[in-house]
DNA sequence: TTGTACGCGTTATCAA
DNA sequence: TTGATAACGCGTACAA
């Protein structure tokens, strides 16, 4: 065995020896609901602090088969809203003593191997942050692995193996649509993101059917391959640039804020028009950039705090499947009265 | 011991039994540089695949005291450039079979306990992504823990316990300054971020002294408490709004792109002026948003790929401390000829 | 090239 | 409330 410099790798045995108790008593001092006298616990903890002892989570996981580690799979670092989610999730998880294994899964292939890698680390759960890829792929990996819990965050899930925690998109988009109708817009253009996701979000369907119900016509829509401002910009300029003024939409309804930011720039710098006077724009997610005075983006804020809380409840044994959670419509200047 | 459902927790022993070899031979089949015959390895790997066996990284780390896990400490999810770094780092690390423990450390206190938490997971290294907090704090924690390597990424480090991998800020800012001089700007305003970081970056010092050398005057500067567009926006509008036109700067030099985005919006929507015709703006980092036609931000791209490569070399035993790495000046429309 | 004790630091379970 | 035994799954060192 390699000799370690003294002072390194302080074990429970060392603490036990120091206080003249057994290793198991030391372990109990670090467990919240253990049967141990208050005095003993204090003795142990004091000695532990003095020696610089902290339980080894690897050994703990090995022995207990609970690692208190979760894998966070993310496939798109350019979408600011995903990062808000990562931030909220890490903060919430850490507050409950969960550690986070971050896995960058740019493609479906990565996602499968990522789940396997997570298994090798014995994570207690895997959390997919609104991912692009199809779920049948996931399911097959899951059935072959021993991942206890798989949570799809901020998206609905079709898989029985996965639990979904998400915002109530139908309610959200209904509110948004009603807001736009109330403001008097008549010629909307819906801008959707990647097909695989859009179909799961129910935003487009909700908007379309609600508008149809109220106004009797189904609005046109466009799609970009990625949730990126640049792609929305290019697509919209290409599509709208040659249109006569009267054929332009009076509001561009975007599936999320990343697209909406690109849409606002496209209207202003690509078409040379004003937002909202010539064309209004709405988004979804409430990213920080949209709150800047220059954008003043009307959007829908997802209930991140409650979603994170639901996740924590779920991880700690609760099976509180409360269904979709309502968020909040944020009205700013980008849909100001015409 | 709790009984596990059959099929779960396939161990090396199971594979060994199946192929009629010993457990240690199975382990060798999974080691790259092990002495094992090709035929045997194939036999073992085939059997492993069939059984769904993968080595348990926890047990492996416990036995070998190498976890192939690194902690990534990040304190600011709003700065897009940090996220570019997280993406590049995770991708690079994963490609070399490193797993990443993401630790959200909004405050200094969090950072200290985060390092302890990382120790509990036996990480092989901790990587600090351009953090706000002072390093003496870190050092004291380090000396008390057994963290092998601490890397300060994208910032210089004063601590002997930490290794720094960063862009050559002096070279970068010299190039930027010369570019602005060449374009004929005469009245710059420098916008700095939080003091604790700015002093480490050398960007402001370099700009100031270079400008002084060339033009004989030291430019004025302003500071915001956080690298956020909103704060830059507010600060600049407050400071410049009441100034007569002739006292306005002709170029706003920002310590990074987050500030520059806010500066551009401040000029356009807060002051009602044009960029770059009335006031030019420059940034640093080259975030995606700055490349949008509406911003066209002149900036300096950090050599992320090379920085990540340097980190990987470092982790795999190399001690290649190559010093700061040069990046690339990106000239766009925000500093177009007057 | 292959096989074997032993240890890594902890927890579950039972006994005292 | 405390102590003790037997795992958890694998790596190291050495022997065969």
């Amino acid at each position: 065995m390699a000799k370690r410099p003294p002072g390194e790798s302080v074990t429970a045995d060392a603490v036990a020896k120091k206080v003249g108790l057994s290793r198991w008593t030391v372990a109990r001092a670090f467990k919240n609901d253990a049967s141990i006298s208050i005095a003993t616990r204090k003795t142990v903890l004091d000695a532990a602090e003095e020696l610089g002892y902290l339980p080894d989570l690897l050994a703990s996981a090995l022995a207990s088969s609970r690692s208190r580690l979760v894998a966070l799979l993310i496939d798109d670092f350019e979408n600011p809203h995903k990062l808000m989610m990562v931030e909220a999730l890490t903060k919430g998880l850490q507050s409950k003593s969960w550690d986070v294994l971050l896995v960058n899964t740019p493609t479906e292939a990565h996602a499968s191997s990522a789940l396997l890698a997570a298994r090798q680390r014995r994570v207690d759960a895997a959390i997919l942050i609104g991912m692009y890829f199809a779920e049948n792929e996931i399911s097959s990996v899951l059935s072959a692995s021993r991942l206890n819990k798989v949570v799809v965050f901020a998206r609905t899930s079709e898989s029985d193996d996965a639990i979904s925690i998400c915002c109530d998109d139908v309610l959200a988009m209904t509110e948004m649509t009603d807001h736009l109708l109330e403001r008097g817009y008549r010629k909307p253009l819906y801008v959707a993101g990647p097909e695989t996701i859009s179909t799961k979000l129910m935003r487009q369907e909700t908007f379309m059917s609600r508008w149809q119900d109220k106004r009797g016509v189904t609005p046109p829509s466009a799609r970009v391959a990625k949730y990126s401002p640049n792609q929305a910009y290019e697509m919209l300029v290409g599509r709208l640039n040659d249109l006569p003024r009267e054929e332009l939409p009076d509001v561009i309804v975007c599936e999320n804020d990343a697209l909406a930011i690109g849409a606002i720039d496209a209207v202003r710098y690509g078409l040379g028009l004003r937002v909202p006077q010539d064309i209004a724009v709405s988004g979804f997610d409430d990213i920080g950039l949209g709150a800047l005075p220059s954008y003043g983006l009307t959007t829908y804020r997802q209930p991140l705090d409650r979603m994170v809380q639901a996740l924590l409840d779920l991880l700690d044994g609760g099976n509180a499947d409360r269904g979709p959670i309502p968020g909040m419509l944020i009205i700013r200047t980008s849909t100001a009265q015409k």
Side-chain angles (χ1 to χ4, degrees), chain A residues 75-335:
Chain A
D75 61 1
D76 179 10
F77 282 83
E78 285 182 47
N79 184 342
H81 186 245
K82 290 213 175 161
L83 299 161
M84 294 171 62
M85 293 198 263
V86 173
E87 174 165 33
L89 284 167
T90 50
K91 190 182 292 182
L93 288 165
Q94 287 172 198
S95 76
K96 296 287 183 187
S97 301
W98 292 96
D99 283 334
V100 174
L101 202 64
L102 182 68
V103 187
N104 184 352
T105 56
T107 70
E108 277 197 42
H110 281 87
S112 301
S113 61
L115 285 174
L116 290 177
R119 172 166 85 111
Q120 287 189 274
R121 294 274 178 202
R122 295 203 179 194
V123 299
D124 289 334
I127 301 167
L128 316 186
I129 306 186
M131 310 210 50
Y132 283 109
F133 53 79
E135 282 173 17
N136 50 352
E137 179 72 21
I138 303 178
S139 296
S140 69
V141 174
L142 286 184
S143 59
S145 71
R146 61 160 178 251
L147 280 174
N148 301 331
K149 282 172 182 160
V150 172
V151 180
V152 174
F153 199 79
R155 222 185 78 188
T156 56
S157 164
E158 298 164 334
S159 166
D160 291 337
D161 303 317
I163 301 159
S164 166
I165 295 179
C166 62
C167 164
D168 190 337
D169 276 335
V170 172
L171 175 63
M173 211 58 200
T174 301
E175 283 185 40
M176 177 65 84
T177 309
D178 290 350
H179 163 70
L180 298 175
L181 285 165
E182 190 184 319
R183 286 286 159 100
Y185 297 108
R186 293 297 149 98
K187 293 188 293 178
L189 170 65
Y190 188 89
V191 178
E195 191 157 13
T196 53
I197 313 194
S198 299
T199 56
K200 307 280 168 48
L201 288 177
M202 294 301 296
R203 290 179 198 164
Q204 182 168 13
E205 290 83 342
T206 304
F207 175 73
M208 293 295 178
S209 70
R210 184 80 179 172
W211 194 276
Q212 166 72 40
D213 285 354
K214 298 284 183 180
R215 306 276 316 150
V217 291
T218 300
S221 65
R223 184 183 295 284
V224 293
K226 221 181 133 187
Y227 285 120
S228 109
N230 304 48
Q231 292 216 7
Y233 184 101
E234 299 294 342
M235 185 278 290
L236 285 170
V237 171
R239 179 178 174 128
L240 303 179
N241 211 10
D242 298 326
L243 258 51
R245 185 65 179 266
E246 64 273 14
E247 288 185 24
L248 287 175
D250 60 1
V251 59
I252 299 176
V253 182
C254 300
E255 199 155 272
N256 74 12
D257 284 359
L259 300 180
I261 294 295
I264 289 179
D265 283 347
V267 171
R268 286 177 174 162
Y269 302 98
L271 307 178
L273 299 175
R274 295 165 302 164
V275 175
Q277 294 90 338
D278 299 314
I279 301 181
V281 173
S282 76
F284 203 106
D285 288 344
D286 193 26
I287 65 176
L289 196 64
L292 271 183
S294 58
Y295 287 110
L297 182 61
T298 290
T299 187
Y300 194 90
R301 180 181 300 158
Q302 294 205 39
L304 265 190
D305 289 343
R306 291 185 59 191
M307 288 162 67
V308 170
Q309 191 55 53
L311 174 67
L312 296 178
D313 291 348
L314 184 70
L315 289 181
D316 271 326
N319 41 5
D321 197 349
R322 309 184 235 186
I325 306 170
M328 181 188 288
L329 183 66
I330 309 285
I331 299 172
R332 298 204 185 94
T333 54
S334 76
T335 57

Side-chain angles (χ1 to χ4, degrees), chain A residues 14-88:
Chain A
V15 179
K17 187 185 292 179
K18 182 180 171 81
V19 296
L21 290 167
S22 72
R23 170 154 48 97
W24 299 272
T25 307
V26 173
R28 278 190 265 271
F30 281 89
K31 269 191 70 173
N32 280 329
D33 53 349
S35 56
I36 183 177
S37 73
I38 295 183
T40 316
R41 166 169 278 154
K42 178 165 166 40
T43 312
V44 171
L45 291 183
D46 287 349
E49 167 135 33
E50 197 170 325
L51 293 176
Y53 167 78
L54 284 175
D56 184 320
L57 266 40
L58 253 58
S60 166
L62 185 60
S64 70
S65 64
R66 272 173 282 106
S67 61
R68 207 120 192 120
L69 184 68
V70 300
L72 216 59
L73 276 63
I74 177 169
D75 61 1
D76 179 10
F77 282 83
E78 285 182 47
N79 184 342
H81 186 245
K82 290 213 175 161
L83 299 161
M84 294 171 62
M85 293 198 263
V86 173
E87 174 165 33

